[in-house]
Amino acid sequence: MTTVCLTGQHSDHDVYAAQCPCRAMLDLLANKWSALAIGALEDGPQRFGRLQRHLQGVSPKVLTQTLRRLEESGLVDRTVYPAVPPHVEYSLTELGRSAAVPLGMLRSWVEDNIDNAARAGASAASCVGENTAQA
């Protein structure tokens, strides 16, 4: 599906086109840490430490990189409050809240279907094993 580019940078948007800037946004949103960070921020602004605790398994370096990319893309706001030490909060922008909707549906779909996918994968693996044994 293509749409006309409102920025005038090119004639239309098409994520299937190699040079379309849509690819960078798709890459960002398809990243698991981006999708999870956006989901974690749906409940409101959060400090870095709380986000890191919520996103079990993410390193400080990767979370920092993810939040910077989300901020650069206009999906997350970073607010620094004058204090010692500095108090920094991250929150979703309007654009980030709009991205949270389909990402939330994707996260729900994964949680609802992971067992089915695991069974299908085990079934497919057993079929491969049977075919190998018969050969």
Side-chain angles (χ1 to χ4, degrees):
M1 176 177 155
T2 62
T3 57
V4 175
C5 178
L6 299 177
T7 64
Q9 294 176 354
H10 52 279
S11 62
D12 57 35
H13 297 300
D14 181 359
V15 293
Y16 295 102
Q19 300 304 314
C20 185
C22 295
R23 290 264 182 112
M25 181 62 77
L26 181 62
D27 180 57
L28 176 62
L29 293 175
N31 175 279
K32 79 174 172 187
W33 294 120
S34 294
L36 293 172
I38 288 170
L41 290 169
E42 284 183 279
D43 293 333
Q46 293 187 38
R47 294 178 73 171
F48 185 90
R50 184 171 178 209
L51 273 173
Q52 188 179 10
R53 286 188 298 278
H54 192 123
L55 305 178
Q56 298 175 16
V58 68
S59 71
K61 178 182 176 182
V62 169
L63 182 55
T64 297
Q65 291 170 340
T66 300
L67 291 168
R68 283 182 184 156
R69 287 182 67 201
L70 291 169
E71 184 183 10
E72 289 167 2
S73 297
L75 298 168
V76 166
D77 272 333
R78 180 179 183 267
T79 305
V80 180
Y81 296 96
V84 178
H87 176 107
V88 179
E89 285 187 346
Y90 297 90
S91 60
L92 292 177
T93 63
E94 186 176 332
L95 185 62
R97 285 189 295 280
S98 71
V101 174
L103 290 173
M105 289 189 291
L106 179 60
R107 289 188 309 273
S108 293
W109 183 91
V110 169
E111 290 173 347
D112 293 344
N113 289 283
I114 190 65
D115 293 334
N116 295 332
R119 279 193 292 274
S123 178
S126 69
C127 289
V128 170
E130 291 171 11
N131 290 340
T132 305
Q134 293 174 359

